[in-house]
Amino acid sequence: MSDLFLGLISGTSADGIDAAIVRFDDRADGTLAAQLVFGATYPWDPALAERLVTLGQQTALLTLDDVGDLDVRIADAFADAANEAIRDAALGPADIAAIGSHGQTLRHRPNGRDHDGVAPFTLQLGDGARIAERTGVATVADFRRRDVAAGGHGAPLLPALHAALLRTPGEDRAVLNLGGIANLTLLPGDGGAVRGFDTGPANGLMDAWCLRHTGAAFDCGGALAAAGRVDAALLARLRAEPWFALPAPKSTGRDQFHLGWVESALRGDETVADVQATLLALSATTIADALGAMQPRTARLIGCGGGVHNPALMRALGEAMPGMVVESSALHGIDPDHMEAMGFAWLARQTLLGRPGNLPSVTGAAGPRVLGVIHPA
């Protein structure tokens, strides 16, 4: 089997499909080596991206035909990204052992709904069989549902990789993924159990607010937030959301934290910049609250994901957690833009080797499980 795996993911912001080709090696001492051979982000078709964002920002009724159509269109977009990545890396399909495809989350309800009897489920679209057919590469997809079937949240799934690459004895560390949603991996320096959970919004609400009011897909450099002032009363109303008080394990998505949720807390006289500043403060303070409650002696916070490039957000995190080192995973040799895609390359490898991909201490599942469905080349 080739030692190269290709990971694909499109996060909650639907701002592109990240592709990472990774070489893995199991060292003799039991540790894992991971080398990013190639990484790139490929754009969505604008009309499809707009449709995905709209679906995530509001409750929309979809027919079965709509769901089937989206499943195919998303798969085609992922297959195009995989084919481009393989070509751009000067490789061929035979060089890739497998593709690990996260797909696009349509709904994530690991706890079901509290009042209407919906069973726990998670739904990611992007037909793995179609990706395998269009790329000629074995494809592993649908990673989250087995963990949910075992009573877990199906998320986050990257803490096992974070632990393999970034844990160090004697120092309590945390890895913070700043995608549309923020999630933490806790790596205690005493060898204790790895834990991980979502903390709430990271970039997703800020991106959506910025797009609606400026036409820009994201707040470049945090300029819009920097032009405003935090509205303390609005921040308090947002932080009063009961979800933030739920114990870990927990996970969430754009169907929980969307612009309709923000607008329900507005008085109506706020400026665009002040709301953006307040949403940034919401991300920073809820992350700090969660980390302080779960691992108060954390010495080092290692960031990855798109939010690492927002200096205003990174500065706010440092201010919310004085005395803690807040830094990018780049300082540890891992490209922050491709950590998640690398994770799904690793998950595909785990599946092909018959190894578990989840950590029950993170997701709450009944035990370790081999995740995903294999679609042969």
Side-chain angles (χ1 to χ4, degrees):
M1 184 171 69
S2 170
D3 58 358
L4 294 178
F5 290 79
L6 195 165
L8 297 171
I9 184 168
S10 170
T12 52
S13 294
D15 52 0
I17 300 170
D18 294 332
I21 298 175
V22 190
R23 174 174 286 113
F24 293 102
D25 181 45
D26 293 312
R27 296 186 179 122
D29 64 0
T31 60
L32 176 72
Q35 175 195 2
L36 179 64
V37 174
F38 177 83
T41 299
Y42 298 97
W44 284 98
D45 170 78
L48 181 55
E50 182 178 359
R51 188 177 181 192
L52 294 174
V53 170
T54 299
L55 285 174
Q57 293 295 339
Q58 60 188 34
T59 300
L61 294 178
L62 295 177
T63 68
L64 287 176
D65 285 348
D66 290 332
V67 174
D69 178 69
L70 278 172
D71 197 31
V72 171
R73 291 182 186 276
I74 291 168
D76 284 346
F78 272 62
D80 288 343
N83 285 330
E84 287 190 57
I86 293 168
R87 183 172 60 251
D88 291 345
L91 298 169
D95 296 315
I96 307 297
I99 293 169
S101 176
H102 172 271
Q104 184 71 32
T105 298
L106 193 65
R107 284 290 184 273
H108 183 64
R109 307 277 197 212
N111 288 327
R113 291 179 181 167
D114 294 337
H115 304 295
D116 61 7
V118 171
F121 75 96
T122 186
L123 180 61
Q124 287 75 42
L125 297 185
D127 182 6
R130 190 168 180 89
I131 296 171
E133 187 68 28
R134 292 203 48 222
T135 61
V137 180
T139 299
V140 188
D142 203 15
F143 289 98
R144 300 192 186 275
R145 288 209 289 179
R146 181 59 189 272
D147 187 88
V148 172
H153 274 251
L157 294 180
L158 268 61
L161 180 63
H162 293 160
L165 297 178
L166 293 167
R167 192 171 195 170
T168 190
E171 182 177 77
D172 283 1
R173 292 180 166 186
V175 180
L176 172 63
N177 177 52
L178 291 166
I181 296 296
N183 52 68
L184 281 168
T185 298
L186 307 184
L187 305 174
D190 62 1
V194 175
R195 292 171 293 170
F197 51 93
D198 290 350
T199 66
N203 303 315
L205 291 178
M206 291 188 285
D207 289 349
W209 184 260
C210 188
L211 179 63
R212 174 172 293 183
H213 293 280
T214 73
F218 62 96
D219 185 8
C220 185
L224 179 60
R229 299 178 64 181
V230 174
D231 183 325
L234 172 60
L235 179 61
R237 291 194 294 274
L238 295 172
R239 292 181 65 182
E241 163 61 45
W243 186 90
F244 292 121
L246 293 176
K250 62 179 181 178
S251 57
T252 189
R254 196 170 52 211
D255 48 335
Q256 165 79 43
F257 293 107
H258 51 81
L259 286 187
W261 176 79
V262 174
E263 288 164 345
S264 69
L266 298 180
R267 296 185 309 271
D269 59 350
E270 298 88 350
T271 70
V272 169
D274 284 355
V275 172
Q276 188 76 356
T278 305
L279 293 177
L280 187 147
L282 176 70
S283 295
T285 56
T286 51
I287 290 165
D289 288 345
L291 186 53
M294 296 295 291
Q295 190 172 270
R297 296 182 181 177
T298 301
R300 189 177 306 273
L301 181 66
I302 302 168
C304 57
V308 169
H309 302 297
N310 184 334
L313 179 56
M314 294 297 282
R315 185 167 55 251
L317 287 167
E319 292 170 353
M321 294 174 282
M324 188 183 303
V325 176
V326 179
E327 62 190 15
S328 167
S329 65
L331 296 178
H332 298 265
I334 302 171
D335 188 327
D337 293 326
H338 299 297
M339 173 78 87
E340 277 200 291
M342 290 175 68
F344 281 88
W346 175 79
L347 283 167
R349 182 177 187 259
Q350 291 291 99
T351 302
L352 263 60
L353 293 173
R355 299 174 180 174
N358 67 334
L359 285 177
S361 61
V362 170
T363 67
R369 298 290 187 270
V370 178
L371 305 178
V373 178
I374 302 171
H375 302 276

